[in-house]
Amino acid sequence: MAALSRAASCLTRRPQMQPSRLQAARAMASSLFGHVEPAPKDPILGVTEAYLADPSPDKVNVGVGAYRDDNGKPLVLDCVREAERRIAGNLNMEYLPMGGSVKMIEESLKLAYGEDSELIKDKRIAAVQALSGTGACRLFADFQKRFLPDSQIYIPTPTWSNHHNIWRDAQVPQKAYTYYHPESRGLDFAGLMNDIKNAPDGSFFMLHACAHNPTGVDPTEEQWREISHQFKVKKHFPFFDMAYQGFASGDPERDAKAIRIFLEDGHQIGCAQSYAKNMGLYGQRVGCLSILCEDEMQAVAVKSQLQQIARPMYSNPPVHGALVVSIILNDPELKSLWLKEVKGMADRIIGMRTALKENLEKLGSSLSWEHITNQIGMFCYSGMTPEQVDRLTNEFHIYMTRNGRISMAGVTTRNVGYLANAIHEVTK
Ligand code: PLA
């Protein structure tokens, strides 16, 4: 111990080297990694890092989409606490199978495909537990590359920034499709339909199932029907990223509507589910990837291949979150408590949308803030420029992504006035 602290104090007393000399010395000392440059900061998680490093007592984090209660504190749902009580001391922590918890998968499929889905009964769905929504998307991307190596993925503009990383690292070429109309702050439906029509037959499309991130703009039910019809004509494959089931309307069943429309129309689909947001299990990394196949035999083959992709990466998925999810969804009482709690989170966010808009109007802002309450889900795509966001951060210690996205889940009764005032200052 003493030797260690002596060595440490020697190091700190050494005269400081200039950065360029330091870099050169480093490169010489370890040429093996000398060429490794620091990676650029993640546009979302980098915001959290900057927020944590800011000592200001006024600081506000509306960057990452993580739910906070009205006191600004992370929330563990009561249904989760109860499930954890049931797990503690009663269940073992053995490895799960490569494909994860069979019970958790069963319950997840009911949520996405419908409680009484014939597709589940017919065993047509290949499904594995995944490392939350990110892991589900990545498994699918790797599967796509392995079995359809010449395919591409169509991704909406804009989208969650990590979608680009996921398909890039899986080496699947990406194409953009039109989604958002900046002037109307709504859906560019004509542009979207055009891009669907103009894509080569049989293309892969990544669709946000509900609560589109970052725009908070979803197609209407009627528009989803038209999209599904056009997919049928073009034989496109829809891959749904469903990271916010329950967070759009407060009702997971209603938020699965887009998927159900595609299923009614007889599509084969893929689906990534996450329990990060709707069960507040962020760091537990629990989710599900499913691929609807033509028949049971195909589903068995596809599942075995998904497992084989998982095995050399992480062998098998973590057990705790899967136990929590399967206990909650398997128990009618806990499930109804969960549904109540999801609705509670969604309602608080809706309340904060109204409060933010009203505060901006009270301050006399001449801009239209209608979109704050029109958009749904966790985020408000404010329309602020990167420069305005920089001012919010530098002058007001408000942290958010530079695309102007505000995580409404981080807005509270206490900080909404401060936030509105700062937004007004940088936009007037
Ligand atoms: N898909 C979409 C559309 C998302 O917005 C997110 C999370 C995920 C998948 C993945 O979530 P999971 O892996 O935790 O299940 N997006 C967050 C967090 C909430 C993040 O960037 O990782 C966001 O702030 O956008």
Side-chain angles (χ1 to χ4, degrees), residues 206-311:
M206 199 281 302
L207 301 164
H208 295 231
C210 63
H212 181 274
N213 175 10
T215 66
V217 172
D218 284 353
T220 63
E221 203 178 308
E222 203 38 56
Q223 287 170 333
W224 274 122
R225 287 189 195 283
E226 285 186 49
I227 294 168
S228 170
H229 173 76
Q230 198 54 46
F231 265 58
K232 202 84 220 212
V233 173
K234 294 286 299 180
K235 303 185 177 64
H236 292 330
F237 183 90
F239 179 74
F240 288 97
D241 183 2
M242 185 154 61
Y244 299 94
Q245 190 178 8
F247 256 95
S249 69
D251 173 8
E253 196 57 27
R254 231 173 102 185
D255 288 356
K257 190 71 200 174
I259 289 183
R260 305 292 171 75
I261 288 171
F262 274 72
L263 294 177
E264 273 170 36
D265 287 349
H267 290 278
Q268 274 184 248
I269 69 162
C271 181
Q273 290 170 263
S274 163
Y275 291 100
K277 271 72 74 175
N278 61 11
M279 237 177 239
L281 292 175
Y282 303 91
Q284 293 293 348
R285 313 308 296 144
V286 49
C288 180
L289 167 67
S290 56
I291 299 177
L292 173 58
C293 299
E294 266 158 20
D295 53 34
E296 184 180 352
M297 223 167 75
Q298 197 178 80
V300 169
V302 169
K303 177 168 179 169
S304 72
Q305 292 293 350
L306 291 173
Q307 291 182 161
Q308 197 161 94
I309 295 171
R311 172 67 166 148

Side-chain angles (χ1 to χ4, degrees), residues 41-223:
K41 283 222 178 300
D42 184 82
I44 298 173
L45 300 184
V47 172
T48 308
E49 286 172 25
Y51 166 81
L52 291 173
D54 184 343
S56 166
D58 301 328
K59 64 181 178 177
V60 174
N61 188 6
V62 284
V64 69
Y67 185 82
R68 299 286 175 261
D69 66 15
D70 204 39
N71 296 313
K73 295 276 178 290
L75 180 68
V76 180
L77 301 185
D78 287 339
C79 60
V80 170
R81 286 293 189 220
E82 176 52 29
E84 287 192 310
R85 267 191 285 278
R86 294 186 193 177
I87 293 165
N90 293 314
L91 298 167
N92 68 53
M93 297 288 150
E94 286 289 288
Y95 289 134
L96 286 173
M98 284 181 282
S101 156
V102 174
K103 271 196 188 156
M104 193 282 296
I105 293 168
E106 246 173 52
E107 295 299 335
S108 302
L109 295 184
K110 285 193 231 160
L111 272 188
Y113 293 76
E115 186 82 30
D116 302 313
S117 167
E118 288 299 320
L119 304 164
I120 299 176
K121 284 180 202 139
D122 295 344
K123 299 191 167 62
R124 278 184 54 193
I125 309 168
V128 294
Q129 185 182 329
L131 303 186
S132 213
T134 307
C137 288
R138 181 59 197 271
L139 264 185
F140 180 78
D142 281 344
F143 175 81
Q144 186 186 342
K145 181 68 192 175
R146 189 168 291 186
F147 293 97
L148 294 129
D150 299 325
S151 66
Q152 304 173 323
I153 185 84
Y154 279 78
I155 291 181
T157 309
T159 194
W160 178 48
S161 50
N162 209 25
H163 281 143
H164 296 297
N165 306 331
I166 289 170
W167 271 272
R168 176 202 64 210
D169 280 7
Q171 296 177 24
V172 176
Q174 299 173 35
K175 289 271 168 133
Y177 71 84
T178 306
Y179 190 82
Y180 184 69
H181 191 256
E183 284 73 39
S184 68
R185 301 216 162 114
L187 184 68
D188 184 347
F189 187 60
L192 166 64
M193 290 303 282
N194 254 335
D195 288 350
I196 294 170
K197 283 179 195 153
N198 292 332
D201 284 9
S203 294
F204 283 75
F205 274 73
M206 199 281 302
L207 301 164
H208 295 231
C210 63
H212 181 274
N213 175 10
T215 66
V217 172
D218 284 353
T220 63
E221 203 178 308
E222 203 38 56
Q223 287 170 333

